[in-house]
Amino acid sequence: MTAPVIPPSPTREEYAEHYAAALAANGDESIFDRAEPTGLFVEWLADATGSEPNDPNAMTLATVDADGVPDARIVLLKDVDARGFTFYSNRESAKGLALAAHPRAALLFHWKSLRRQVRVRGEIEPVSAAEADAYFASRARESRIGAWASDQSRPLDSRAALEAAVARETERFADQDVPRPARWTGWRVIPETVEFWRDRPFRLHDRLRFDRVGVDWTKTRLWP
């Protein structure tokens, strides 16, 4: 290797030149006065929606399979409220089988433009059929057909086989609505801990963790 691929830590001058605006936005101490995490998360997501180049609702979903082996992948957050963080997928996919075996998960949001992260851990619960139906109906028709065509996470012989499956389902649902497949559903992560992280100069970062206690939350400021 003739050139380093890992960038060096920024110097004081580089912080001042390239990171000043983001770091200034991360200097508001009022976040430590918050009593619960949901409102702060929604505000940070709104900030990310205005600054991230794509998919501000993207999150890493970490699970453990039936053999205890961890796995992680990027999925999209589709709803958030006081109950938790909701996403959708095929229950027969690798993630769906892992969640069935061990209904607990961790989430990680990383907003590079804001130099912020949010970590979530908690139990998993399935959404209701009505919730799954409503979200599925909101998707583009082509995405709904794709949900029928794809045997998600299973071996695929070729791209041609996928396109043939899409063509078959497109013909099957011609001139009619595309209903939700029984194997397609959603899950809600019920947060037990939510940690907010934001970059500050020279790795003296801010960390704020909320822990659920019954219906209330405790909060702890953590060393960086």
Side-chain angles (χ1 to χ4, degrees):
M1 187 177 298
T2 59
V5 295
I6 305 298
S9 296
T11 64
R12 179 184 296 275
E13 292 74 20
E14 288 170 328
Y15 269 118
E17 180 179 359
H18 301 296
Y19 308 140
L23 295 176
N26 286 342
D28 181 3
E29 286 284 302
S30 67
I31 70 165
F32 297 102
D33 298 328
R34 297 302 188 103
E36 55 82 34
T38 305
L40 180 56
F41 176 85
V42 170
E43 289 181 18
W44 278 24
L45 180 58
D47 290 342
T49 300
S51 65
E52 288 294 294
N54 54 37
D55 295 334
N57 58 326
M59 61 186 186
T60 300
L61 168 68
T63 58
V64 177
D65 69 14
D67 297 320
V69 179
D71 202 354
R73 75 290 285 163
I74 303 293
V75 300
L76 296 180
L77 177 73
K78 289 302 180 180
D79 193 19
V80 58
D81 56 26
R83 297 173 298 169
F85 300 77
T86 301
F87 61 96
Y88 294 86
S89 187
N90 187 324
R91 72 172 81 243
E92 298 174 1
S93 67
K95 73 176 77 67
L97 296 176
L99 292 170
H102 294 286
R104 299 183 64 81
L107 307 174
L108 172 62
F109 298 84
H110 181 208
W111 297 306
K112 292 177 69 66
S113 63
L114 300 176
R115 309 182 74 80
R116 295 175 182 173
Q117 297 182 59
V118 178
R119 300 166 61 197
V120 180
R121 293 189 296 170
E123 293 187 355
I124 286 283
E125 69 175 11
V127 302
S128 68
E131 287 176 289
D133 286 341
Y135 174 66
F136 191 80
S138 75
R139 304 178 83 205
R141 180 179 180 84
E142 292 81 0
S143 295
R144 285 180 278 157
I145 288 173
W148 281 94
S150 176
D151 286 330
Q152 191 172 341
S153 299
R154 294 178 174 86
L156 173 65
D157 291 337
S158 65
R159 181 75 189 185
L162 172 60
E163 292 174 352
V166 171
R168 181 185 66 243
E169 298 302 327
T170 300
E171 182 179 1
R172 182 158 74 102
F173 291 111
D175 301 321
Q176 61 178 293
D177 189 31
V178 182
R180 177 176 64 91
R183 65 186 181 182
W184 196 95
T185 189
W187 297 266
R188 181 177 294 108
V189 179
I190 305 170
E192 297 171 358
T193 66
V194 183
E195 181 184 325
F196 295 84
W197 176 101
R198 63 185 186 182
D199 193 16
R200 301 297 298 274
F202 309 110
R203 304 203 177 280
L204 301 179
H205 310 309
D206 286 331
R207 295 174 64 187
L208 175 62
R209 188 185 71 212
F210 290 87
D211 296 280
R212 188 188 294 274
V213 180
V215 297
D216 297 317
W217 294 92
T218 63
K219 62 182 179 181
T220 306
R221 187 167 185 162
L222 304 175
W223 286 79

